[in-house]
Amino acid sequence: MPQKSFRKAAGKEMVVDSTLQFAARRNIPVRYNRDHVAMTLKAMQRVSEIRAKRERVFYKNRMAGNREREKLANRKIVAENEHLLPRVRASERLAAELEQQPLAQEAVQVAPPQKVAMKQKRKQRLLREGGVENEMDMD
């Protein structure tokens, strides 16, 4: 039982709610009446709807500031552990900056693709006399 009182003290339980009084058991004998039972069942259903609605509102109000607190906590974690994050290369940073800046339509000109001839790599050896000797061609 102590959990319930602790939850109420911490503001996690609805302390003041008139629908909670209906849940209390009454030891008053009542003579059976069909209409009375039907009205009681209808009232019980309505009370449960009201209680559910109030609980939802209570929960929403209690959790109202959670999103901002989570964001602040996440930013703090990132700031403390920034050394673990991968570094952004200068070329990627430049590309990101260019994407963010709006480009004028006039300034953008697309050049047609051109065929580029691949150069062959040559292995060369420097000689002591100052000359260069070609050893072999490489692809």
Side-chain angles (χ1 to χ4, degrees), residues 19-38:
T19 60
L20 296 174
Q21 294 173 357
F22 288 107
R25 186 170 177 166
R26 311 242 182 331
N27 293 324
I28 302 171
V30 177
R31 187 171 182 185
Y32 176 76
N33 184 352
R34 180 185 293 172
D35 298 331
H36 189 259
V37 170

Side-chain angles (χ1 to χ4, degrees), residues 115-133:
K115 291 186 179 179
V116 179
M118 298 203 41
K119 295 182 180 179
Q120 292 183 352
K121 294 181 183 178
R122 293 186 181 161
K123 196 170 187 182
Q124 297 178 344
R125 182 185 301 170
L126 290 175
L127 301 175
R128 286 189 185 178
E129 297 89 37
V132 178
E133 178 184 339

Side-chain angles (χ1 to χ4, degrees), residues 21-138:
Q21 294 173 357
F22 288 107
R25 186 170 177 166
R26 311 242 182 331
N27 293 324
I28 302 171
V30 177
R31 187 171 182 185
Y32 176 76
N33 184 352
R34 180 185 293 172
D35 298 331
H36 189 259
V37 170
M39 285 182 61
T40 304
L41 290 174
K42 205 182 275 188
M44 287 171 58
Q45 187 177 10
R46 180 71 180 132
V47 166
S48 66
E49 290 173 4
I50 292 170
R51 182 182 298 154
K53 182 180 176 185
R54 288 182 182 176
E55 285 176 356
R56 279 195 308 269
V57 170
F58 179 77
Y59 181 79
K60 279 186 179 181
N61 289 339
R62 200 166 59 95
M63 297 295 158
N66 258 9
R67 186 162 292 175
E68 289 79 20
R69 273 183 255 140
E70 278 186 17
K71 279 185 182 179
L72 289 175
N74 290 342
R75 288 175 193 234
K76 181 181 176 186
I77 290 172
V78 168
E80 289 175 355
N81 301 312
E82 195 171 352
H83 63 282
L84 298 175
L85 295 173
R87 295 189 179 267
V88 178
R89 289 188 222 131
S91 59
E92 291 175 359
R93 188 179 311 128
L94 181 64
E97 289 175 4
L98 288 177
E99 287 177 8
Q100 291 176 356
Q101 295 175 354
L103 298 175
Q105 291 294 335
E106 303 135 5
V108 178
Q109 294 179 353
V110 179
Q114 299 176 353
K115 291 186 179 179
V116 179
M118 298 203 41
K119 295 182 180 179
Q120 292 183 352
K121 294 181 183 178
R122 293 186 181 161
K123 196 170 187 182
Q124 297 178 344
R125 182 185 301 170
L126 290 175
L127 301 175
R128 286 189 185 178
E129 297 89 37
V132 178
E133 178 184 339
N134 292 332
E135 287 188 9
M136 60 185 284
D137 293 334
M138 296 181 68

Side-chain angles (χ1 to χ4, degrees), residues 2-16 20 58:
Q3 183 176 2
K4 194 77 164 173
S5 59
F6 284 121
R7 287 182 62 81
K8 285 182 181 178
K12 296 184 179 186
E13 287 287 329
M14 290 179 20
V15 180
V16 180
L20 296 174
F58 179 77

